[in-house]
Amino acid sequence: DQQVKQNSPSLSVQEGRISILNCDYTNSMFDYFLWYKKYPAEGPTFLISISSIKDKNEDGRFTVFLNKSAKHLSLHIVPSQPGDSAVYFCAASATNDYKLSFGAGTTVTVRA
Amino acid sequence: DTAVSQTPKYLVTQMGNDKSIKCEQNLGHDTMYWYKQDSKKFLKIMFSYNNKELIINETVPNRFSPKSPDKAHLNLHINSLELGDSAVYFCASSQDLRGEKLFFGSGTQLSVL
């Protein structure tokens, strides 16, 4: 059973516009959430994270929003750039559970 | 200077064979992992080791045997390969046991024919 779900397998956005990626989770014990970015033939790389005590975390063009009551988080990329074209994985973990649960990923394509 | 390196990058083999994938990290991390990315693209943890001690074994068939000679290395040996073992296998490391911020290798694409 997948506890982290990314229901949009792909997203196409014009350069300069906002990309919004969504992620839902089912395990109410999750208290830490991360986004990873993956280019073809490479491993995922850490992008941004958020603890459950916050509802927003910002790092440059990337902002993650957390809605605990809805068990939903989103990643906003503003403005989108061609180098942002990649697969984005949402991940979550619970305290004392030493593993990350990943979603299936969303492929973002930024059009020039 | 690659932080987490795994070899080989591609592995094509016949059913029934035994193969190994090697992983090394130069980050000084205490914890290392093997993840499997299946055909549905989910990344699922298989094993984790902390300072050479097995911490997580996620109901992986015992044909899969991880070995950690030291905390910088975690190898994966697979016996009697099956068609369903075809996947991309990623090695990763993290500074601590909680393993939230993972550093991944570039993956090994295993194809079992």
Side-chain angles (χ1 to χ4, degrees), chain A residues 15 37 39 61-62 80-86 88 108 110:
Chain A
E15 183 178 1
K37 177 179 180 178
Y39 292 118
R61 296 185 297 112
F62 302 90
S80 299
Q81 298 175 353
D84 297 331
S85 295
Y88 290 79
V108 172
V110 180

Side-chain angles (χ1 to χ4, degrees), chain A residues 1-56:
Chain A
D1 64 343
Q2 294 302 321
Q3 300 182 76
V4 177
K5 297 176 184 177
Q6 295 176 254
N7 292 320
S8 298
S10 62
L11 173 69
S12 181
V13 65
Q14 191 144 19
E15 183 178 1
R17 299 290 184 104
I18 184 172
S19 295
I20 299 177
L21 290 77
N22 294 304
C23 177
D24 297 297
Y25 61 96
T26 57
N27 188 340
S28 59
M29 299 302 291
F30 285 153
D31 58 3
Y32 198 74
F33 305 88
L34 308 91
W35 287 92
Y36 282 79
K37 177 179 180 178
K38 183 184 179 305
Y39 292 118
E42 294 183 14
T45 55
F46 170 77
L47 187 59
I48 192 170
S49 62
I50 188 167
S51 163
S52 61
I53 62 172
K54 294 184 173 182
D55 53 20
K56 177 182 174 181

Side-chain angles (χ1 to χ4, degrees), chain A residues 2 4-5 31-32 34 36 38 41-46 89 93-105, chain B residues 9-10 33 35 37-38 40-45 48 55-56 58 90 97-107:
Chain A
Q2 294 302 321
V4 177
K5 297 176 184 177
D31 58 3
Y32 198 74
L34 308 91
Y36 282 79
K38 183 184 179 305
E42 294 183 14
T45 55
F46 170 77
F89 290 96
S93 71
T95 302
N96 297 326
D97 186 14
Y98 304 129
K99 60 186 178 186
L100 281 179
S101 295
F102 283 86
Chain B
K9 192 163 180 67
Y10 300 97
Y33 309 80
Y35 274 81
Q37 186 178 30
D38 60 23
K40 293 182 180 176
K41 304 302 180 187
F42 287 104
L43 276 160
K44 294 183 180 177
I45 190 168
S48 75
I55 302 298
I56 293 174
E58 277 290 294
F90 288 98
L97 197 56
R98 178 143 184 190
E100 285 151 354
K101 188 173 176 181
L102 299 176
F103 291 77
F104 283 89
S106 58

